[in-house]
Amino acid sequence: MTATQAGHPDKAHGRFATLLLGSIGVVYGDIGTSPLYAFREALRPFAHDGVHENEVIGLISLMIWTLTVIVTLKYVLFLLRADNDGEGGTLSLLALLMKKAKGNTALLFLAGLTGAALFIGDAMITPALSVLSAVEGLKLVTPALSDYVLPISVTILAALFVVQSRGTDAVSKFFGPITLVWFIAMALGGIAHISDDFSILNALNPLYALDFITHAGFVGLVVLGAVFLTVTGAEALYADLGHFGRAPIQTAWFLVVFPALALNYLGQGALVLTHPTAIEDPFFLMFPKWALLPIVILATLATIIASQAVITGAFSLARQAIHLGFLPRLEIRFTSQTTTGQIYVPSVNSLLFMGVLTLVIIFGSSEALATAYGISVTGAMVVTTLLAFPFLTWVWGWSMIFALSVLLPLFVLECIFLAANLLKVHDGGYVPIMIAGTIMLMMWTWQKGTRLVKEKIGRNDMSLEAFIRLVERKSEHAPSDVPGTAVFLASVPDKAPAVLLHNLKHNHVLHAQNIVLHVRTRRVPFVPETDRIELTRLSDRFSKLTVNFGFMDEQNVSQAFPMCRKAGLKFEIMSTSFFVGRRKLVSDPDTGLPGWQDRLFIAMSHAAIDPSDYFSLPPNRVVEIGEQVLV
């Protein structure tokens, strides 16, 4: 073995260690902050009567076994294998299933939209709840700081959203180490108190969880809503699959995250058994007075990291939704020269910031906000389980009976948790429902509106081949020839683009070389450069060019043009004009969409950026030609 070959294992181990540490910081940031409030909120229904030993042990058992079944079995061991060319997440899975589907895909589409909308709702509530719960620890340091909890939380959240435009590449290097220290601190806090009452170890027996559910009655169903707070952030496991890979995420869970969470919950339970007054805030009361301020600071950093991970996930989901046609083309900025996952979507950032700020001000405390949490998380999980069924049958080839036998128990369990969380609708649970409903309405309206626009424009469509025969026929009305190359952006590759027809109608000219350009987003995350372009010669003057991207690719058309030269298409960029159509949408109450949906669709279209900017066309070579479309 040569020295170079001997070095490869070290590089591989170093790369794995980096991904492992990164996944601890990004993937598990959200679920790692749930001990701040989950057990406290689960105990709240019992606070007025005082908690009994069986109730505490039963609750801790429920939490540990919820982590085991939902996170370990469903996400870590199963869903991480249900990938779309290495990418995970609801929309990634939806794209794969839409590609495999035969027949009606309406139910798949509805399920995917619901999951995506619920994730955005989660992205609003998570930063608000996590940061508030961490900063509230200051009240235990000194009651004099109680009045400053809300202003400090708002300041932290405002700063978090302001720095998004600068990218997180530099600070993300600290995410893993800080979160690792956080998990170690949680584990040590739990270990220090397990000896307070060793009977808490009975919680490792799932029979205690079953006994609690059996005897708790209606209160047990209410408590289940709080118990589910232990698995908040589990969807990030799946969504971040493409960034870190399956092995680092799984290793981080079994080596660090799961042991730290289990130890901490066991420690909180033992503390409450020994000191019932600790029910007020069992997490922070686990630590001695001298360690309270450092733990509050560490908890605040951990919640900021958790919030960052959710915000980044929302950006990534928005990009997927845009490329798959669920949202208008919004501005996407790439904040890292080396990592395509580091993106910033200004409009989504503003929407999240306004939503988070509103939630913090309206609810005012983590206790009040916890009632609004859970519905979006459980709803998203139920959707993922539903989508897993066609994945098992269509992609993995499982029989329907076998797939049902595996997924049905999990589906029933998650529906029970969803029902428990729905009991909180009147206490604030309506918030995530309203958020998700609004986002679903917007996505549905955009899909419906764009389909209507295509239908109306398509009525006057002419096939590209027929158009070429028409314009190349020698006649006295033939257009004038001009030198250079013209590139016409087309939404349908085999039809003559409207912008080409308008240019010919108004300017009466035809370039020496004409390229009909169609940008196609495939239902795969990434398209290799070898498959980037498809070039077809239609005549001496006309060519059809299709540029393929994946839904996770940066859709930069300018970078794809050098490949055309290798394919035999000769042109000079400085003598090339890019013709882009600009549509002005006009509301028509008599046809198309209802009036309210007309206005929403037109407002969303105004938020879209120019196709020339979205596809990174050379800015000084773009010609825009407008047309009106009634919707």
Side-chain angles (χ1 to χ4, degrees), residues 102-120:
K102 297 174 183 178
N104 191 3
T105 59
L107 287 176
L108 280 177
F109 177 72
L110 178 62
L113 250 60
T114 304
L118 288 167
F119 185 89
I120 297 294

Side-chain angles (χ1 to χ4, degrees), residues 250-267:
Q250 289 178 330
T251 305
W253 175 253
F254 288 113
L255 191 66
V256 177
V257 182
F258 192 25
L261 291 174
L263 287 169
N264 189 267
Y265 285 126
L266 288 170

